[in-house]
Amino acid sequence: MLPLCLTLSACGPGDEARPETPTRAAMPQAIALPPMKAFSDPRPIRPERSNRDIGRDFLDLSFQLESGRHLPQFSRFEEPITLRVTGQPPLTMMADLDRLLSRLRREAGIDIHRVSQGEANITIEAVSGDQIRRHLPTAACFVVPNISRLADYRAARNRGATDWTRLRRRDRLAVFVPNDVSPQETRDCLHEELAQAIGPLNDLYRLPDSVFNDDNVHAVLTGFDMLILRAYYAPELRSGMTRAEVAARLPGILARLNPEGEDVSPRFAPETPRAWIDAIQTALGPGTSPADRRAAALEALRIAQVEGWSDHRLGFSHFSLGRLLQGSDAALAVQHFAAADDIYRRNPGMDLHRAFTAAQLAAYAITRSRGDEALIWLGSHQATAERHENATLLATLMMLRAEALDLTGRVAEAQAVRLDSLGWARYGYGADWAVRAKLQDVSALNPLKEPNG
């Protein structure tokens, strides 16, 4: 079956038990891969939730760390933000960064610009993944205050300079991203870590439409995220304010920035208990045996059911358990994927979540030679993946569609879709060998391509 890219350590927290550093048949070698594809104009979806819900989310994102510790005051940059890049950034990273900065200026109204030399408020240092993991073993990228180089991190941490709870105003900080992964992985790190560098530091599993969520469903900043960042830099707020002071001004800010949210009824999603978070992180994080992972996923599902949830967190509990059961009980895994899809279907704004479950369900149908069923599962999810700028998911869905078309006898159409998928795969998976390996993995699902098929 087909593992998808939802590892919780992707842009992960620090090296403590409860993190505080804000941090998701072989293709013939003779066939040349097509050029890498890139996304065009962003198409974020505006939030369709009550401003009362969004205000609660804003406060919980802004006054708490991922570890659960509370922040005593609000902090942000109080001047135009300058940003520079150091290290050895890949070319794709620079293009993605400039595109992100343009979005921050246009959609969030933040005065942020890249400089080529001299000191800057934010330094993005592109280093190897190994260098990052030497400092934070479970993270692929992270952000810390009061330094500009990864070499300074350990000493700064030892003297308490990287403690976010002591920060009253942001003046200098660093973002560390990997330069030896796929273009999409580096871009995803840029989006999440830069957003936390200039805005909220917390992640909330209850958010269905945000990168400020460790389920890593969303890869790039969403319409909700841009609204949060625009509110974060509203003139009514300033560094050093208490939670109560921000809360008093927030209703007016959101009414001005998001008037549509004034007429939506609040849903007041319940808090996510620490036990569920710990279970999910154990199930999907690194360094745990398969048996312990499955046990943790079962516990997360049990907690979700006891809590009486019917939202995306219950769906994600089923999805996570399905992923961990694929290798030992594919039929049971499919039941959990189907349960997740049903939950997502009954909640608004879950199209991207459903695209992930569709890939799993279509893959299973292909292994059973049910090409027509796979095509039904795949539906229009390619457009969803493209809108949300997830090339990894988009390429996977297209490769699956090609196998399903082969099963239904539409060989020429299958080959065209398969070829088209490779440009996206080069962005999503990076190295040519990784693209070919992915293509081989998906092809191997098709019983017609078995040695005696």
Side-chain angles (χ1 to χ4, degrees):
M1 292 293 290
L2 186 68
L4 285 178
C5 52
L6 286 178
T7 50
L8 294 180
S9 59
C11 291
D15 55 348
E16 302 173 18
R18 290 192 176 179
E20 303 211 345
T21 303
T23 63
R24 332 252 330 102
M27 184 177 181
Q29 296 291 317
I31 298 179
L33 295 177
M36 181 185 298
K37 291 191 176 183
F39 294 101
S40 55
D41 293 335
R43 294 178 291 163
I45 300 172
R46 288 190 62 83
E48 298 179 352
R49 292 192 279 127
S50 165
N51 279 345
R52 293 174 64 187
D53 284 332
I54 295 173
R56 174 194 173 209
D57 296 336
F58 183 99
L59 293 171
D60 288 349
L61 286 169
S62 304
F63 286 92
Q64 191 167 309
L65 294 170
E66 294 174 29
S67 64
R69 289 181 66 194
H70 291 278
L71 293 165
Q73 65 270 321
F74 181 77
S75 71
R76 70 180 187 186
F77 290 98
E78 293 296 341
E79 58 191 10
I81 304 169
T82 56
L83 179 149
R84 67 169 184 166
V85 177
T86 62
Q88 296 180 309
L91 290 177
T92 56
M93 177 187 136
M94 299 307 294
D96 284 332
L97 174 60
D98 286 341
R99 191 166 179 262
L100 172 57
L101 294 178
S102 177
R103 285 193 63 194
L104 289 170
R105 290 190 293 267
R106 184 176 64 255
E107 298 175 39
I110 295 175
D111 189 355
I112 183 169
H113 295 274
R114 182 159 66 88
V115 297
S116 58
Q117 58 186 359
E119 295 297 318
N121 300 118
I122 299 173
T123 300
I124 298 178
E125 187 174 11
V127 297
S128 71
D130 284 344
Q131 288 176 277
I132 290 175
R133 287 186 290 274
R134 277 191 218 112
H135 295 276
L136 296 177
T138 63
C141 43
F142 65 101
V143 55
V144 289
N146 298 321
I147 64 172
S148 299
R149 300 186 307 157
L150 186 59
D152 298 333
Y153 172 65
R154 205 176 300 276
R157 186 184 62 185
N158 290 339
R159 66 175 185 270
T162 62
D163 186 349
W164 289 98
T165 66
R166 300 182 184 183
L167 198 66
R168 184 177 180 88
R169 166 183 163 139
R170 302 185 199 184
D171 294 299
R172 181 169 64 109
L173 51 80
V175 175
F176 306 110
V177 298
N179 59 11
D180 53 0
V181 295
S182 73
Q184 177 164 317
E185 289 179 79
T186 301
R187 181 210 63 185
D188 294 356
C189 276
L190 284 175
H191 275 250
E192 182 168 351
E193 302 310 320
L194 187 54
Q196 292 190 307
I198 62 179
L201 299 168
N202 197 12
D203 283 322
L204 296 172
Y205 276 102
R206 72 170 184 257
L207 300 179
D209 53 355
S210 174
V211 301
F212 297 114
N213 185 329
D214 270 337
D215 64 10
N216 286 354
V217 169
H218 289 275
V220 298
L221 291 171
T222 66
F224 170 87
D225 298 329
M226 288 297 183
L227 174 61
I228 290 293
L229 290 172
R230 183 175 283 275
Y232 211 85
Y233 282 83
E236 295 93 328
L237 304 181
R238 65 180 183 277
S239 293
M241 282 184 168
T242 65
R243 182 181 177 117
E245 289 172 329
V246 172
R249 292 161 176 77
L250 201 51
I253 293 171
L254 291 175
R256 171 168 57 82
L257 298 179
N258 188 45
E260 299 88 349
E262 293 293 288
D263 299 325
V264 180
S265 298
R267 301 183 68 183
F268 295 120
E271 298 288 344
T272 307
R274 189 78 230 178
W276 186 88
I277 295 173
D278 291 342
I280 283 291
Q281 290 179 339
T282 299
L284 300 181
T288 307
S289 70
D292 288 342
R293 288 174 184 269
R294 288 191 293 270
L298 281 167
E299 176 64 8
L301 179 57
R302 185 195 68 80
I303 293 170
Q305 292 170 333
V306 169
E307 291 288 325
W309 292 340
S310 59
D311 61 16
H312 60 284
R313 290 171 293 182
L314 177 60
F316 190 63
S317 300
H318 280 289
F319 183 87
S320 302
L321 183 55
R323 287 185 57 211
L324 294 170
L325 289 171
Q326 285 176 323
S328 57
D329 192 337
L332 182 58
V334 165
Q335 292 180 31
H336 285 287
F337 291 136
D341 185 72
D342 185 59
I343 293 161
Y344 294 150
R345 180 179 53 81
R346 289 186 273 111
N347 282 274
M350 297 287 102
D351 289 349
L352 183 58
H353 296 70
R354 293 196 70 197
F356 280 103
T357 58
Q360 301 288 0
L361 292 164
Y364 183 78
I366 289 168
T367 65
R368 297 299 185 266
S369 299
R370 300 198 292 260
D372 287 328
E373 179 184 329
L375 290 172
I376 291 172
W377 279 119
L378 292 169
S380 60
H381 292 303
Q382 281 180 215
T384 298
E386 185 169 1
R387 174 159 197 164
H388 291 277
E389 300 188 26
N390 192 322
T392 304
L393 176 59
L394 176 58
T396 299
L397 292 169
M398 296 176 76
M399 291 178 187
L400 289 168
R401 181 175 295 277
E403 298 305 322
L405 289 168
D406 271 340
L407 285 171
T408 57
R410 297 152 66 181
V411 178
E413 186 179 351
Q415 185 56 28
V417 172
R418 186 177 292 110
L419 181 62
D420 198 30
S421 75
L422 299 180
W424 294 115
R426 295 194 72 182
Y427 184 84
Y429 291 100
D432 289 359
W433 67 263
V435 173
R436 292 188 169 98
K438 186 63 180 180
L439 193 62
Q440 179 179 350
D441 287 344
V442 176
S443 179
L445 298 171
N446 190 336
L448 293 180
K449 297 180 180 179
E450 293 177 353
N452 296 321

